[in-house]
Amino acid sequence: MKTDRSAYLFAQAQKFIPGGVNSPVRACRSVGCDPLFIKKAAGCIITDVDGNTFIDFVGSWGPMILGHAHPEVVEAIQKTALDGTSFGAPCSLEVELAEMVCAAMPSLQKVRFVNSGTEATMSAIRVARGYTGKKKVVKFDGCYHGHADSFLVKAGSGVITLGIPGSPGVPEEIVRNTLSIPYNDIAILEHTLRDASLDIACVIVEPVAGNMGVVVPEINFLRKLRALTSELGIVLIFDEVITGFRLALGGAQERFGVTPDLTCLGKIIGGGLPVGAYGGKAEIMDMVAPDGPVYQAGTLSGNPLAMAAGLAMLKVVNRPGFYADLEEKSAWFGGEMAKIVAKFSIPTVFNRIGSMMTCFFVKEPVTDFESAMRADTGLYGQYYRQMLAGGVWLAPSQFEAAFLSAAHDREHLEKALMVTESSFKKLIV
Ligand SMILES: *Cc1c(COP(=O)(O)O)cnc(C)c1O
């Protein structure tokens, strides 16, 4: 594979951008590669600057549920841009998208748009603290909620991938107010939440974890979490930045039938443009300025291009049968993948729910951070490089999800399965 042009750009990038990338996992260090620079993408195919093409299972880390450059999304952005790109005043697209989001997720009575998932989670815990007058935030080991100070405690995604234990630059005083406990462990959860001395404002959770690789919650874990937080007056926040509009139109909360007080959204909601959102019970959201005293603002929030892209995407996923089709395709593909990896004597665990999945190189089931961390990342690196050479674009980390989109057709999925089989044959254990 010729990569001269990417190599040149990466050398230039490193002169001006830390690590040559604007988000750390893109540097591909944990899989022993240099990043490829992308020229364009359409449907499920992504093309680098040297002209290599790949079947894309990253989907920009989640947003591209329709595949790349979906004509309706592109058209909406183009049309909207002709009328100006930012007003700093309300526009009708914000109202339309807010109405659509609240209809898709009935637990959202009110919603505020921001510019990223990080902003959504950061604002949601501020509101929860303002509402309860309490201080502590409970999160779960291996869940990732963006890069705000409070969340960089046993966090997933790039934080695990790079082996960073927390982060320098985050004051100890802040981290002290974040408690991180094991995912899927009901006993520790109950013990922690019942400790009144802890002064807990909220619990934030990825209702399906996607940032330590895909880890599916036990249904009783989510139910117990809901029951305990309701009983104890603790705000329950679902971070559905990945799962919102991914696992169902109404996200994981629809799929599992468990309703949080606040929800954080991102990724799909922006149709590939930078949008995040947080919303929930009106009583809590009314704490947000200007109705209430909790301050949160944004110069580009509700940006017309971003709203138009999000609206166009949500209109497509709202069509009848969208999720049923995606589910059927994902179940077929996941089943075939599981069959292929089972043919080899290499230990693997294949976790999948809906169109998100991870193949862990590990023996025992992966149900939490600790079991995910037992995965053989060296083996994943080999697998990643073989798949890339075969024309399949995976996340450059063991601890991420692979995503299917509506644009993955049978032909490309069959090719990806063939490449998987030949990649496994070449793995050296
Ligand atoms: C990606 C992600 C975030 C952060 O979103 P950004 O837009 O990258 O800031 C937060 N929570 C979860 C669950 C995510 O997957």
Side-chain angles (χ1 to χ4, degrees):
M1 183 167 52
K2 199 167 140 304
T3 57
D4 303 5
R5 187 81 198 138
S6 277
Y8 170 76
L9 285 172
F10 189 46
Q12 286 300 103
Q14 283 173 290
K15 291 183 195 163
F16 304 108
I17 302 170
V21 289
N22 283 309
S23 195
V25 281
R26 292 181 199 165
C28 300
R29 288 186 189 172
S30 79
V31 289
C33 296
D34 282 343
L36 298 179
F37 281 62
I38 299 305
K39 180 158 196 276
K40 60 181 181 180
C44 69
I45 301 295
I46 190 162
T47 305
D48 73 10
V49 288
D50 289 287
N52 303 302
T53 59
F54 306 92
I55 305 167
D56 178 21
F57 288 93
V58 181
S60 188
W61 303 84
M64 312 317 292
I65 196 166
L66 304 182
H68 296 278
H70 189 278
E72 289 171 57
V73 177
V74 173
E75 194 195 340
I77 297 169
Q78 284 173 330
K79 266 196 176 153
T80 308
L82 293 174
D83 288 332
T85 56
S86 182
F87 311 128
C91 68
S92 67
L93 295 166
E94 295 166 82
V95 190
E96 224 183 305
L97 187 58
E99 201 175 335
M100 197 173 234
V101 169
C102 292
M105 289 192 173
S107 77
L108 276 71
Q109 293 174 314
K110 286 189 179 175
V111 62
R112 174 61 72 78
F113 292 116
V114 292
N115 304 288
S116 67
T118 295
E119 265 189 78
T121 53
M122 190 176 90
S123 309
I125 61 166
R126 183 182 301 149
V127 175
R129 282 168 162 160
Y131 177 74
T132 56
K134 295 184 175 167
K135 223 186 235 174
K136 293 244 177 10
V137 173
V138 174
K139 71 175 282 290
F140 297 92
D141 302 346
C143 284
Y144 178 69
H145 304 294
H147 64 89
D149 285 356
S150 303
F151 299 121
L152 294 179
V153 182
K154 292 203 180 170
S157 190
V159 189
I160 322 179
T161 307
L162 301 175
I164 299 173
S167 174
V170 176
E172 212 238 304
E173 294 86 323
I174 289 183
V175 171
R176 221 186 286 142
N177 289 315
T178 303
L179 306 170
S180 191
I181 60 175
Y183 198 78
N184 268 334
D185 189 324
I186 294 173
I188 295 182
L189 174 69
E190 175 148 24
H191 180 79
T192 307
L193 297 194
R194 287 204 183 279
D195 185 343
S197 71
L198 290 176
D199 195 37
I200 297 167
C202 59
V203 178
I204 185 164
V205 66
E206 283 182 75
V208 168
N211 287 292
M212 47 180 149
V214 173
V215 174
V216 180
E218 280 165 35
I219 180 69
N220 283 333
F221 171 69
L222 290 183
R223 286 188 184 143
K224 189 75 187 176
L225 180 56
R226 176 66 283 183
L228 281 167
T229 45
S230 297
E231 179 196 331
L232 299 164
I234 295 169
V235 176
L236 177 58
I237 307 171
F238 273 10
D239 179 350
E240 296 228 39
V241 170
I242 289 182
T243 53
F245 314 110
R246 163 72 58 191
L247 290 181
L249 184 64
Q253 51 196 275
E254 176 185 324
R255 191 144 176 155
F256 289 93
V258 177
T259 306
D261 301 308
L262 292 178
T263 298
C264 300
L265 296 166
K267 300 191 170 127
I268 293 174
I269 199 177
L273 267 67
V275 181
Y278 65 101
K281 283 188 180 153
E283 185 189 324
I284 303 177
M285 290 304 289
D286 287 343
M287 293 295 292
V288 180
D291 274 349
V294 175
Y295 197 69
Q296 183 274 309
T299 301
L300 293 173
S301 295
N303 172 271
L305 294 191
M307 297 292 107
L311 264 171
M313 191 169 281
L314 293 196
K315 277 178 189 159
V316 178
V317 302
N318 255 293
R319 289 179 192 149
F322 180 87
Y323 289 97
D325 290 350
L326 187 60
E327 180 68 39
E328 188 186 293
K329 179 161 65 179
S330 305
W332 170 78
F333 180 74
E336 294 299 307
M337 270 293 283
K339 272 190 231 163
I340 289 172
V341 303
K343 284 191 206 168
F344 296 85
S345 57
I346 298 162
T348 48
V349 167
F350 191 71
N351 282 1
R352 179 189 73 86
I353 178 168
S355 56
M356 52 194 284
M357 55 200 83
T358 299
C359 179
F360 289 97
F361 288 89
V362 73
K363 265 200 203 86
E364 305 288 329
V366 177
T367 57
D368 59 10
F369 183 60
E370 205 188 311
S371 44
M373 290 307 283
R374 292 196 199 108
D376 184 337
T377 53
L379 208 49
Y380 183 85
Q382 281 187 48
Y383 169 66
Y384 173 87
R385 295 191 297 272
Q386 292 294 349
M387 293 292 278
L388 191 72
V392 176
W393 186 263
L394 297 177
S397 164
Q398 168 74 90
F399 307 109
E400 301 287 351
F403 295 108
L404 255 64
S405 77
H408 286 84
D409 54 29
R410 188 73 175 221
E411 183 195 336
H412 288 109
L413 291 176
E414 275 170 3
K415 183 181 171 207
L417 291 168
M418 273 171 48
V419 177
T420 304
E421 181 147 9
S422 63
S423 296
F424 262 77
K425 278 187 188 143
K426 292 178 197 143
L427 296 181
I428 300 159
V429 184

